[in-house]
Amino acid sequence: MFKRNGKIGRRDLFKTSAGVVGSALLSREAAAAQAPQRNVNTNSSPSALKITDLRVCTIVKPGPSPCPLIRIDTNQGVYGLGEVRDGSSATYALFLKSRLLNENPLNITFLFEKIKQFGFHGRQAGGVVAIEEALWDISGKVYNVPVYQMLGGKFRDRVRIYADTDESDDPLVFAKRLKARKEEMGLTWLKMDVGLPLLQRIPGTVTAPAQQNTWERNQLPHPFVATEITQKGIEKLSEYVQAARDAVGMEIPLSIDHLGHLGVNSIIRLGKAYEKFNLSWIEDVIPWQYTDMLAHITAESPTPILTGEDIYLKEEFIKLCERHAVSKIHPDISTSGGILETHKIGDRAMEYGVPMAMHYAGTPVGAMASVHCAAATENFLACENHSLDVPWWQDLVNGIDKPIIDKGFIKVPDAPGLGVTLNDEVCKQHLAANTGYFEPTPQWNTERSWDRLWSMIREEESQRRNVVG
C-alpha cells in the first residue's frame, strides 16, 4: 500500500477506502440481520405463518345467547379469537375451515374476500365475521400492536357504552331502573324498550287483525301486519318516556328500541309525539331493506331514526347514507362484516354526515373487537352492551383492566391483537349443554364446494389451448 517514499498511492488509497466502506456495509448488514425487528414478535416468522386449525366453544349467558367463540391456530403457536354473533350457530364458522387451512392468516383482506360470499344479513354473517376477528387478533400478536393501530390509530382512549334496561309495566319502576343505570353504574347514554308489549293489557291502544298466527306476528315485515297504534296507545307509551326523563333528566342521551311491528304512519305519529323528549333515536322502526319508506319516515319524524344491526357488508349502509334514509346507522360488528368492514362503513357514513352507533350483545371477545373498531372510527357515538347485569361476564376473559365497563366506558386496550385471552375455567362453567371446549374438528377439514360465483374455463381446457397456441 505504501510506496518506497512512504506516501500512499492513489490507486492504493481507493482500494483501501473501498475496503473500509465495504466492511462497514457488511457490518451493518450483519448487525441488521442479528438485531430483532422492532415491534415484531420474534417468536413468529410472518411469511411462513400458516393456519392449522379452527375450533369452537359455545357460551350461554343471560340475555342474547348462545354465543359461539372460535379459535384459529397456526403452525407457530400464535392463535386468534373471534365470535360468531349471539343466537347463531358455530356451524357458520366451521364449514369455512377448509377454505382457511394452510393459508397465511396475515392476508386478512385476501381471506375475507375468499369467504365473504358465505355470509349474509342477520345471524348468517356470524361465521365470516368470527374468522375475520380472529385473523386481526393473530396479526396484532405477530406484529405486537393492538388492532386499532393497524386500522390507522385511535380517535379516543375510551369507548362509550349504552345499555338496554329491563322494562316494567309500571312507568315509575321502569324509570327507577334507568336512573340506577345512570347513577349507580355511571352510564352516560341510556336505552329503553318502549313498544307494543307494554300495551298488551290496555284496551283501546292498538288496532290489529284478530287471531294472527305466529308467522304473521313474528315473521312478516312490519308493513304487512296491519297493526297501528291509537292515540291512547301513543299517550300511554309517552307516559313511560316522560317518567324516564323525569328520573334521569334531559341532559343524558336516551334512545328507544322494540316498538313492535307497526305501520309507517304509526311510527311517524310516535316520532312526532316523542319530539319533546329529545330522544337520540328510535331504533329499527321497519326492516332496513325498505329504503324509500325509511327515507319517508326520517323526513317526517322530528325524532331521529336509526337502523343497521342486521345489515351485512358496507354496500347497504352506503345506500341508506346516500339517501339520508336514516339519521344514524347502527352496525353490529358480528353481522356487518367484521372489524375492517365496519371501519369502512363508518368512514363512508362520515362522508355523508351520518353518525355511527354500534350494536353488540355477545361476550367480551366480540365486545373488544367492537372497541378497537370504535376507537379507530371518527364518527362513532356509543356501543351497546347487553351484559351489565351478568356478574361473571367480564370474568370470561383475562389480560384487560377490570371492571371492563367502568362508569359507562371501556378502556381501549394496548395489548397486542384484541387484547384479551380466555379464562378457560370460567368459560367451561358456562358452556352450552352437551358441547365441548375447543375440541378437535377434523370432520370440517375437507368440506368443499364449487365456490366461484361466475363461469370459468376449466383448468385442463385452458392448458390445452395454451399448448395449441
Side-chain angles (χ1 to χ4, degrees):
M1 181 172 67
F2 286 93
K3 291 189 175 181
R4 291 180 181 177
N5 59 9
K7 295 182 179 180
I8 301 176
R10 181 181 296 179
R11 183 177 299 175
D12 293 326
L13 178 61
F14 285 148
K15 289 181 178 179
T16 302
S17 300
V20 171
V21 173
S23 298
L25 290 173
L26 288 172
S27 297
R28 289 180 189 174
E29 290 174 1
Q34 294 173 7
Q37 298 179 54
R38 186 172 298 174
N39 292 330
V40 174
N41 182 350
T42 54
N43 293 322
S44 71
S45 178
S47 62
L49 200 61
K50 300 293 182 185
I51 294 172
T52 57
D53 207 353
L54 186 156
R55 301 187 182 192
V56 304
C57 77
T58 300
I59 304 296
V60 175
K61 66 175 184 62
S65 192
C67 302
L69 302 178
I70 73 162
R71 190 186 75 204
I72 292 180
D73 297 326
T74 70
N75 60 337
Q76 296 174 25
V78 185
Y79 69 92
L81 298 173
E83 182 167 351
V84 181
R85 187 171 172 183
D86 60 277
S88 188
S89 169
T91 304
Y92 284 124
L94 285 168
F95 87 93
L96 298 175
K97 179 182 178 181
S98 61
R99 280 90 173 174
L100 302 173
L101 291 177
N102 297 314
E103 295 280 12
N104 189 324
L106 306 182
N107 294 326
I108 300 174
T109 302
F110 167 75
L111 292 176
F112 181 71
E113 290 298 321
K114 186 176 183 180
I115 65 174
K116 77 174 185 180
Q117 64 176 290
F118 300 105
F120 198 64
H121 305 298
R123 265 62 180 176
Q124 295 179 51
V128 172
V129 170
I131 289 166
E132 196 261 7
E133 292 172 351
L135 298 179
W136 279 109
D137 193 25
I138 291 171
S139 296
K141 291 173 180 175
V142 167
Y143 294 115
N144 200 31
V145 292
V147 169
Y148 73 76
Q149 196 67 63
M150 295 184 286
L151 298 176
K154 58 184 176 179
F155 287 95
R156 51 193 63 85
D157 296 321
R158 300 185 303 163
V159 167
R160 190 184 309 275
I161 295 299
Y162 74 91
D164 263 338
T165 308
D166 287 342
E167 61 247 49
S168 169
D169 290 336
D170 185 336
L172 295 180
V173 173
F174 204 158
K176 184 178 179 180
R177 292 171 181 170
L178 282 161
K179 187 175 182 179
R181 288 274 198 244
K182 176 186 175 184
E183 297 185 356
E184 297 175 18
M185 293 187 173
L187 293 190
T188 61
W189 196 303
L190 302 172
K191 192 172 86 165
M192 59 192 301
D193 294 343
V194 182
L196 295 181
L198 294 173
L199 302 177
Q200 287 178 344
R201 291 189 291 273
I202 304 176
T205 57
V206 178
T207 301
Q211 300 181 21
Q212 290 181 324
N213 61 36
T214 302
W215 171 263
E216 291 169 330
R217 289 195 306 270
N218 298 325
Q219 300 299 326
L220 275 178
H222 305 35
F224 306 107
V225 181
T227 299
E228 303 290 349
I229 192 167
T230 67
Q231 184 58 35
K232 180 180 178 181
I234 291 175
E235 292 169 359
K236 285 294 181 181
L237 292 184
S238 295
E239 289 179 12
Y240 287 92
V241 187
Q242 182 67 64
R245 275 302 189 199
D246 290 343
V248 304
M250 290 295 293
E251 293 78 16
I252 188 169
L254 176 64
S255 304
I256 284 182
D257 191 10
H258 294 294
L259 280 83
H261 289 193
L262 289 171
V264 168
N265 291 333
S266 288
I267 293 163
I268 293 172
R269 291 167 59 221
L270 271 172
K272 291 178 178 178
Y274 288 160
E275 181 178 10
K276 62 183 178 181
F277 303 122
N278 206 32
L279 299 177
S280 298
W281 69 68
I282 307 176
E283 184 173 330
D284 294 333
V285 292
I286 61 172
W288 60 266
Q289 297 92 334
Y290 297 108
T291 308
D292 291 339
M293 286 185 183
L294 280 170
H296 173 60
I297 293 169
T298 297
E300 294 292 327
S301 171
T303 301
I305 302 300
L306 167 145
T307 197
E309 69 179 72
D310 290 320
I311 299 177
Y312 180 54
L313 302 180
K314 62 183 180 296
E315 287 74 17
E316 295 296 337
F317 283 101
I318 293 171
K319 185 189 300 183
L320 289 170
C321 293
E322 284 177 334
R323 292 286 312 279
H324 287 278
V326 291
S327 307
K328 300 175 176 74
I329 57 169
H330 192 221
D332 187 309
I333 203 166
S334 296
T335 286
S336 55
I339 295 171
L340 181 57
E341 188 77 359
T342 308
H343 181 56
K344 291 178 180 179
I345 289 165
D347 283 349
R348 290 303 300 273
M350 180 83 178
E351 295 175 5
Y352 292 104
V354 179
M356 183 179 84
M358 294 178 71
H359 181 274
Y360 192 72
T363 78
V365 173
M368 297 318 300
S370 300
V371 164
H372 283 279
C373 180
T377 305
E378 188 172 3
N379 61 336
F380 166 78
L381 296 175
C383 183
E384 188 167 21
N385 188 283
H386 261 279
S387 301
L388 269 70
D389 303 311
V390 182
W392 49 265
W393 181 82
Q394 66 175 8
D395 297 329
L396 292 168
V397 295
N398 294 320
I400 190 172
D401 291 345
K402 304 287 181 71
I404 294 178
I405 303 172
D406 187 14
K407 294 180 173 60
F409 290 87
I410 296 179
K411 182 182 177 182
V412 181
D414 287 321
L418 293 178
V420 293
T421 58
L422 294 180
N423 183 333
D424 296 334
E425 181 180 351
V426 175
C427 288
K428 289 177 182 178
Q429 293 171 4
H430 300 285
L431 292 177
N434 303 314
T435 66
Y437 191 66
F438 295 120
E439 293 181 348
T441 56
Q443 66 273 28
W444 295 102
N445 287 4
T446 56
E447 180 73 13
R448 283 284 183 266
S449 69
W450 186 250
D451 293 345
R452 195 176 173 96
L453 300 179
W454 57 89
S455 62
M456 64 178 290
I457 298 176
R458 291 178 304 185
E459 183 65 23
E460 60 270 23
E461 179 68 12
S462 176
Q463 293 175 355
R464 185 187 68 78
R465 293 187 179 187
N466 289 335
V467 170
V468 172

